[in-house]
Amino acid sequence: MQEHLEQDSLALRALGEPVGAAAEAHLEQCEDCQAALSEPTAVTARAARVSAEDRDLPPAPGHLWAGIAEGAGLAEAARDDADDGRAEDHRPRGHAAHAGAAAEGHTDPQASEPAPGASPGSASAAASLPAAPPTGGDAEVVPLHRGPRRAAVGLIAASVAALALVGAISLLPVETTEDPTARVASAELDALDERSEPARAVLAERDGRLELAFDELRLPEADGYYELWLIDADVEGMVSLGPLTDGETVALPEGLDPAEFPIVDVSLEPFDGDPTHSGDSLLRGELAGLDADDLPDA
Amino acid sequence: MLVSGVVSPPSIAQRFAEGDESALREAFDAWGGLVLALARRTLRSEADAEDVVQQTFVDAWRARQTFDPDRGELPGWLVGIARRRCIDRLRAGERQPDPVADVADDEPAPDEIDAVADRLLVATAVAELPVAQRRVLELAFWEGCTHDDIAERLGLPLGTVKSHIRRGLERLRGRLDREDEGLAGAPGAGQPGASRAR
């Protein structure tokens, strides 16, 4: 007898994908599954009504601001914002507020996500891009070997390119707080194949130094060792942070700017004496601000 | 490199509620386009639509103490205010019909406003999802991609795509619930179709 539908299947079914005859038959007579399906279906039905026009909203013209500032009775200092451009002017404040929220342990799911007015066309533009191989695919990282490892780096580059399509990086300036560790950014690490499970890397500041810690990192036993890398967004360079084991926190070398190397990568390296990336990655994700997923993982 | 996500909606909402004047400007930058889109599609005149944007943000600022960022999302609340303002304008137009143009005919009724507001809020909520979930859901919702297609297009494992879809839908549902709360809690919000998804 077919069991209850899993959450992933319910989500796909809500999007109109087929889930198989057995699952459909079960769904027909199971009220629990029907009820569980109604929640994601309500969301997908609302999304289905959204048109391309709805998704590409031009920002309100800046000349409207003066009337708002006056009507709201803002102090002169706040009104002056109208004269010196738009969203760019607010980065420092947005950053500071965000980092502050982070230091307080605030983990709202939407934290750090782009506001719709900030880049109206970027989402759809990014979504429509194919996962094309990057132009910098033959980047030389560590020019010790030029043989097979070149191909490996090309492979890494191609798959990183998909990941870096949108590249909404929001690394935050670190604020000094009482808390000895202040979270700076995090990366959801995708499991690139069956060997591993998704994990999360958290970049935090401790005593003025940046360090990477990992949640739910479970590296399987393997022939070789795991190595942690930070890769730049153009996939033209990478920095090794050394061998990695479960539960380890890795300090970043002083002076290394994670904004320049926002992609976190964990590779399996053979003991072959070759210090370059093997091209055999298990986990990868991009440091993308504080979007800690606080939803229950059903 | 595109750098986005520098303006954090939750902190705007919290600072807005606390009366931080810079948050009003940030809210205008982030969601002025959303409010304007609703007004443009509801009212015929661009000048009226722009008036509604200004009135909405001024109203919102004056009523900020009634906004509860823990319950509702600020975009939904702003849209609730704008919706009320648009309906007021439509009714004022009906009382004083334009002798030349047949104004009432081609302007949407309030339930159509609610439908437009809902679509705009859903689009906004998707745009503000974490980037991986957003990309996957955009392809699923609007590009007609199956999870197989998405996995191929983004070069991600199937399991990862499924997980992004499920988690993205869960997060979106929570977000839309709060947008609906915000919209229903807006000053002067009448009986919007805010709970249609429940």
Side-chain angles (χ1 to χ4, degrees), chain B:
Chain B
M1 166 60 66
L2 170 70
V3 178
S4 59
V6 290
V7 177
S8 148
S11 67
I12 293 178
Q14 274 153 3
R15 290 182 296 116
F16 185 93
E18 289 161 7
D20 177 347
E21 293 190 342
S22 67
L24 177 59
R25 173 67 195 220
E26 289 169 43
F28 171 74
D29 286 338
W31 300 301
L34 166 67
V35 171
L36 180 61
L38 179 70
R40 273 181 177 157
R41 292 185 208 184
T42 307
L43 306 170
R44 234 167 44 145
S45 133
E46 177 70 12
D48 280 357
E50 293 192 350
D51 280 354
V52 163
V53 173
Q54 291 184 315
Q55 287 172 343
T56 296
F57 281 93
V58 171
D59 287 353
W61 184 248
R62 290 183 178 154
R64 63 188 180 273
Q65 285 171 336
T66 70
F67 171 67
D68 180 356
D70 294 331
R71 284 196 61 193
E73 295 281 344
L74 190 50
W77 195 70
L78 292 168
V79 162
I81 295 172
R83 171 190 171 279
R84 182 75 253 159
R85 281 291 189 175
C86 287
I87 291 173
D88 287 349
R89 292 229 162 202
L90 288 176
R91 290 191 180 146
E94 282 166 14
R95 283 199 298 275
Q96 296 169 308
D98 186 323
V100 181
D102 195 355
V103 176
D105 269 6
D106 54 358
E107 286 181 340
D111 56 342
E112 290 176 59
I113 298 177
D114 289 344
V116 174
D118 192 66
R119 299 203 316 265
L120 295 175
L121 281 174
V122 171
T124 299
V126 172
E128 295 181 18
L129 284 173
V131 67
Q133 295 174 4
R134 181 184 84 199
R135 204 164 56 218
V136 164
L137 284 185
E138 282 171 340
L139 291 170
F141 287 159
W142 302 315
E143 307 282 325
C145 290
T146 65
H147 71 284
D148 280 329
D149 300 336
I150 295 168
E152 189 172 341
R153 231 162 126 165
L154 300 181
L156 294 174
L158 275 180
T160 305
V161 171
K162 285 192 210 173
S163 160
H164 284 332
I165 286 176
R166 172 176 57 75
R167 293 164 81 162
L169 283 177
E170 284 170 358
R171 185 178 293 212
L172 188 56
R173 185 166 65 85
R175 167 73 187 252
L176 289 177
D177 283 350
R178 293 192 304 278
E179 296 289 6
D180 293 344
E181 287 282 343
L183 194 152
Q191 302 294 322
S195 306
R196 75 167 54 90
R198 305 291 180 83

